[in-house]
Amino acid sequence: MPGPRDYTQGTKSALAHLSGGLCYYPGCPEPVLREDEGKYYIIGFISHIRAAYPNGPRFDKTMNDDDRRDIKNLIFLCEPHHLRIDKERPQDYSVETLHRWKEQREASPAEALKRLREVTPSGLKQIVAEGLKARDDKLISALTRLEKTDRGAAMALRSVIDELAEVYSKGRRALDPDLIETLDRASRRLSRWDPVHFSGLESAADKLSRILDSGMVDDLLRASRRFPER
């Protein structure tokens, strides 16, 4: 008779698909699958939400072995999180917590897309702003606590955060100012055009593309650059 760890190939394949190939611990980027020469291998741990055996964490004596090996009771974990959740600190991780992780990871893509579509642009902007503020608040709080025990480490972290902020700021300024000015001038000129002109412009461009070869187009471009800007 199959035991609580005798998973069918169908159960393993379904769990691998639903996991997205990653550990179920929220935010963990560790893969639980590895591809080699076109074949995929499980390198993570198939863990029970309610333990397989009586001495295991979160064991439920009302379940039978079929229930214990059922996909509803299984999650994938990388080795560090498997050790933490099932060996080192099982008391910190309840059945409810692990079920919530499973539901979040295995949420229907259609349902996730539906929830995303319900977010308006202004609402999304607010969500991002609130998320950034919450992140900053957590960083400041953590650094304040760290300063009480290790001032040197806190200062080093503050320095790293400042450097990251500077890199981000430089990234935002990466666009060439001359390019921005050119685009601005072009947009202002186009804004003064009557919309009916654009259809004529499109028609002329289409006709030119049919009657001119690439060399003639290049000649026209070079000639246009000789005229002074008005």
Side-chain angles (χ1 to χ4, degrees), residues 3-74:
R5 294 189 182 277
D6 293 325
Y7 319 115
T8 67
Q9 187 58 45
T11 294
K12 290 190 286 187
S13 298
L15 190 63
H17 171 73
L18 293 170
S19 72
L22 299 175
C23 171
Y24 274 61
Y25 191 95
C28 180
E30 285 299 310
V32 291
L33 301 173
R34 177 179 294 165
E35 186 270 338
D36 182 57
E37 295 184 350
K39 294 182 180 180
Y40 286 86
Y41 299 89
I42 294 174
I43 59 172
F45 292 82
I46 298 179
S47 300
H48 292 74
I49 294 176
R50 291 179 170 89
Y53 300 106
N55 60 339
R58 303 170 299 276
F59 181 77
D60 185 346
K61 64 181 180 181
T62 66
M63 298 174 69
N64 58 39
D65 283 351
D66 288 338
D67 295 329
R68 294 185 181 105
R69 66 169 172 269
D70 189 86
I71 193 170
K72 295 177 182 178
N73 189 49
L74 303 175

Side-chain angles (χ1 to χ4, degrees), residues 13 16 38 72 77 113 115 118 126 135 163 168 180 205 223 227-228:
S13 298
K72 295 177 182 178
L77 294 173
L113 181 59
R115 289 195 297 271
E118 292 171 352
Q126 181 178 354
R135 179 209 60 187
E163 289 177 7
Y168 174 71
I180 296 174
F227 286 94

Side-chain angles (χ1 to χ4, degrees), residues 107-138:
S108 164
E111 291 180 4
L113 181 59
K114 180 181 177 182
R115 289 195 297 271
L116 181 60
R117 285 174 175 165
E118 292 171 352
V119 179
T120 62
S122 59
L124 181 59
K125 186 182 294 184
Q126 181 178 354
I127 290 171
V128 172
E130 290 174 352
L132 291 174
K133 183 180 184 303
R135 179 209 60 187
D136 292 344
D137 289 344
K138 287 181 180 179

Side-chain angles (χ1 to χ4, degrees), residues 205 208 212-228:
L208 280 172
L212 297 180
D213 60 32
S214 59
M216 294 175 70
V217 172
D218 290 339
D219 291 340
L220 280 173
L221 287 173
R222 283 195 293 272
S224 68
R225 294 190 182 108
R226 296 193 186 104
F227 286 94

Side-chain angles (χ1 to χ4, degrees), residues 72-114:
K72 295 177 182 178
N73 189 49
L74 303 175
I75 59 175
F76 263 132
L77 294 173
C78 64
E79 184 173 8
H81 286 133
H82 169 66
L83 291 174
R84 180 189 302 178
I85 293 167
D86 283 351
K87 307 292 183 183
E88 299 170 352
R89 292 160 42 193
Q91 70 281 0
D92 293 344
Y93 301 94
S94 65
V95 168
E96 293 73 23
T97 294
L98 299 184
H99 269 303
R100 186 171 68 252
W101 293 359
K102 185 174 178 68
E103 289 173 1
Q104 291 170 346
R105 177 56 58 84
E106 298 178 1
S108 164
E111 291 180 4
L113 181 59
K114 180 181 177 182

Side-chain angles (χ1 to χ4, degrees), residues 31 55 72 84 155 157 197 229:
N55 60 339
K72 295 177 182 178
R84 180 189 302 178
M155 292 178 64
L157 280 176
H197 293 160
E229 183 179 357

Side-chain angles (χ1 to χ4, degrees), residues 158-175:
R158 285 188 186 276
S159 176
V160 169
I161 292 171
D162 289 343
E163 289 177 7
L164 289 174
E166 182 179 356
V167 169
Y168 174 71
S169 177
K170 288 180 178 178
R172 293 185 63 185
R173 298 194 300 269
L175 283 175

